[in-house]
Amino acid sequence: MTVARAVLFDVDGTLVDALAGQRRIWAQWACEVGLDPDTVYAVAQRTRPVETAAELLPGSDARSAAARFDELEDEDASHGDVRQIDGAAALLDALAGRTWALVTSNAERRVVRRFERLGLPVPAVIVDNAATRHGKPAPDPYLFAAERLGVEPRDCLVVEDSPSGATAGVAAGMTVWCVNCSEVVPGAERHYPSLAAAAPDILAFASHAPSA
């Protein structure tokens, strides 16, 4: 039975900015496998690493290829440049005692490492790129997060920054708001120029009673 409303956050581009490291890592990976870095990065923005490898290297061992990317990003998570998106710390601190989770196309260990480095609170539920068979834009990760939290999908707010994530939230039957966006993201009900601008409304959503 639903006991609360929940806020489900994407991570990269929504709460933390590790974009420079991501581009560098994918560029290195692309060069190692003989592909164009820009082409690789365009695919990587909408798929999980193993799916990126499968799409770009058909006929190869996608998991083995993705494992190399994991090695590079594990190192970056511990030592690379990363910053919190403006307003992230204040928002997550204000959600203390509320129901929220992270739903990411990254690996949980890397998310936790970056959050620890930034001093951001880590929630009890993190749905990462290995938690479900299908990743975003499929609804599976968001539905799994709701299940783990014991919250109905209709009582969940998805906070995203990308079309792929917004599509996943809409397909899951959840409310979807996009932040840190300069253009309209199809499927999202609201668009905010920054996370900080969305924070009061996110807190208000989390504070309301769930659907009857």
Side-chain angles (χ1 to χ4, degrees):
M1 179 179 66
T2 297
V3 295
R5 278 183 160 190
V7 182
L8 310 180
F9 291 98
D10 171 56
V11 176
D12 295 315
T14 298
L15 295 174
V16 303
D17 180 2
L19 182 61
Q22 289 281 314
R23 291 193 71 100
R24 178 185 58 77
I25 293 165
W26 278 118
Q28 181 175 342
W29 184 88
C31 291
E32 289 182 3
V33 298
L35 295 174
D36 174 65
D38 290 338
T39 299
V40 169
Y41 190 66
V43 175
Q45 286 183 297
R46 58 178 172 78
T47 59
R48 298 179 293 185
V50 67
E51 293 158 349
T52 299
E55 180 172 336
L56 294 169
L57 298 171
S60 68
D61 182 347
R63 293 197 177 279
S64 177
R68 173 55 179 156
F69 173 83
D70 279 345
E71 293 176 1
L72 295 171
E73 193 170 12
D74 279 345
E75 180 179 349
D76 184 79
S78 294
H79 305 292
D81 292 335
V82 62
R83 69 176 183 86
Q84 65 161 293
I85 298 293
D86 290 343
L91 174 57
L92 297 184
D93 285 344
L95 284 169
R98 304 294 183 183
T99 304
W100 64 282
L102 302 177
V103 181
T104 176
S105 296
N106 212 315
E108 179 174 353
R109 65 182 182 278
R110 290 193 287 265
V111 170
V112 170
R113 183 68 187 108
R114 288 182 173 124
F115 270 48
E116 289 175 344
R117 290 175 60 197
L118 294 170
L120 297 175
V122 177
V125 172
I126 300 176
V127 175
D128 73 354
N129 60 14
T132 59
R133 180 177 180 183
H134 300 291
K136 304 172 188 177
D140 304 40
Y142 280 116
L143 290 173
F144 187 46
E147 179 183 337
R148 289 185 61 186
L149 291 170
V151 179
E152 293 292 336
R154 65 176 181 271
D155 292 316
C156 292
L157 169 63
V158 168
V159 182
E160 272 279 358
D161 74 310
S162 72
S164 176
T167 297
V170 170
M174 300 176 179
T175 300
V176 179
W177 296 350
C178 277
V179 299
N180 309 325
C181 54
S182 57
E183 299 179 355
V184 171
V185 176
E189 295 182 18
R190 298 186 189 180
H191 298 79
Y192 297 85
S194 67
L195 179 68
D201 290 341
I202 293 172
L203 290 171
F205 180 98
S207 299
H208 289 164
S211 303

